[in-house]
Amino acid sequence: CATRSWAARTVTPPPPTVADVGPCTDDDLEVTNGDMASANTQRRVVVSFRNTSSSACTMVGYPGADLVTPVGGVLINVPRRPANETPRLTLQPGEVGSADVLVYAIDTDTGNSCARWGQLVVTPPNDFVSHTLPIDMPICSASVSPVG
């Protein structure tokens, strides 16, 4: 009669699929900005969204952006564009997604310099909590890229 020996096996569950990963919430994210870069009449700021949670989360679409007065009055609102053609970005813990905020330092209709500046306020995609960032930008017109 033969004797068989069985070793214990450890089974590791598969990693979650993209469909299993929930959206990033304000509690999951640290929102920061880089320095303002200048190129001719455009100004650009990279806004970063770091996943500070212990699990993966997803971001889809465009962040919201406003340029506001020192007392919080909205001077320029950058409308959010539909997210139907933007990729889904899955952030693992510690990973960063970013978006570009572009503004013009001149009025593109008149060619005159922007007389007003405002502080940048950003709302992450999939969220409604705004983050006031420590950077002022010219207020003539603005756009924001999708998170990537």
Side-chain angles (χ1 to χ4, degrees), residues 24-117:
C24 296
T25 66
D26 190 59
D27 291 338
D28 298 328
L29 298 173
E30 174 188 36
V31 182
T32 58
N33 62 276
D35 293 333
M36 183 168 40
S38 298
N40 295 321
T41 61
Q42 286 190 334
R43 305 296 179 261
R44 174 180 166 257
V45 171
V46 176
V47 177
S48 299
F49 304 92
R50 178 181 302 280
N51 180 357
T52 59
S53 74
S54 60
S55 59
C57 65
T58 59
M59 298 178 82
V60 179
Y62 294 83
D66 293 317
L67 294 170
V68 301
T69 65
V71 293
V74 175
L75 296 168
I76 295 278
N77 170 265
V78 182
R80 286 192 192 196
R81 292 183 262 172
N84 53 354
E85 295 183 17
T86 60
R88 174 185 294 261
L89 178 64
T90 299
L91 296 177
Q92 297 299 325
E95 288 186 336
V96 177
S98 62
D100 293 338
V101 177
L102 296 172
V103 299
Y104 284 92
I106 64 162
D107 183 325
T108 55
D109 292 331
T110 66
N112 296 330
S113 295
C114 291
R116 300 179 305 167
W117 285 58

